[in-house]
Amino acid sequence: MLFKKSLYIFILLISFSVKANFILLPMDETTQKNHLKAYGITYWALDKQYKASWLLNYRGGSFLLPDIPEIRKECQIRGVSFEVLSDAETQSILNDISSPSQNMETVVLEKAPKIAVYSPPGKQPWDDAVTMVLTYAEIPFKVVYDEEVLSDQLLLYDWLHLHHEDFTGQYGKFYGAYRNAPWYIDQKKDAEALAAKLGYAKVSQDKLAVAKKIKDFVIGGGFMFAMCSATDSFDIALSAEGIDICEPMFDGDDSEANYQSKVDYTRTFAFKNFILDRKPEHYEFSDIDMTEKRRIPFEKDYFTLMEFSAKWDVIPTMLCQNHTQLVKGFMGQTTAFDSELIKSNVLILGKNELNDEARYIHGQKGKGFFTFYGGHDPEDYQHRVGDEPTVLDLHPNSPGFRLILNNVLFPAARKKPQKT
């Protein structure tokens, strides 16, 4: 009897010692059923005030969460793979990550960032890859536009995404192909009415004011993420402050003579020495974009994520977390950036070596950060106006969409000074 009692106590002690204290959301290629929703689970846990860690370069950038019944349940509901770890197993993983011989790092995630998306009213989620993946991952966000930005409401948010906006006041350079389309006519009319309501004589003046407010948001410590035409048009608008670069069909009067010589590259975030496109019917803003300079067959259109030291260059490592280093290319109005026109203090995170083009770049401005990502939709190679929306249930492990979500969680990280 005494032996049975002792055995029972021993088994009980053993069960306590192997009791799970953590769950791991693995982010490698073979184990995780839904990479995109795993980010949503991590965001949800942070929003519930649970602690979380991002294990950089460990099994594709896995997430470590406390073993709480409601977190397990949420993973099961959303179809996210998880593994139960004992305290000893967790410590072993963390010890391995901390070893100087391993290019890995543990980053503590502190809070769920407040997310804003700069987008015109009435846009559907499938018009923009970021709103689409945020909705799919169940990460909450608020839509803001010119009125909110100009009334300093960006102060309420940590992270801002720029929809495929044209900050130059040229209506996306859609004039050549769509000037008679009802949606284009309505878009132009609505933009002019909004600019007038806000006290601006021209749409270009309104958009410049918005761009400058966004610039102030970043300098003050905000995180800004932009895709497609919002990337280069943002920088072009800043560089052309005080210069009329719009032709009469856009703003009612002639552009300024010799405006190219007056462009100020010191005002931009990422780009330098670019030449503006003067043709109103041409679907390009400048020579920053590589769309028309590409000679890459569809089957070879991939870009490579750069490898950084996880312990020394934590930020770029975080932004490049993925289960593959080779990401499928995809096009947009601004598909990729000419490497020669990128400022030297801006990091190239993803590059197509065949065409010497940057697809994914990152930099710091003041106390804040910005990331520019070329292309429209990572799972729609050549998205056109009116195309059907991408169904993310068919792409739950998309490497291209993962890069967007890396940026969404980036502000949650406890900051460490960059050492290089």
Side-chain angles (χ1 to χ4, degrees), residues 29-40:
E29 189 165 11
T30 56
T31 312
Q32 182 53 256
K33 288 185 295 187
N34 197 315
H35 287 91
L36 305 184
K37 285 187 179 288
Y39 288 89

Side-chain angles (χ1 to χ4, degrees), residues 130 159-162 223-227 360 371 373 404 407:
V130 174
W159 191 88
L160 172 69
H161 165 58
L162 306 184
F223 298 78
M224 186 259 273
F225 178 84
M227 284 188 75
Y360 182 42
T371 301
Y373 190 16
I404 297 172
N407 282 270

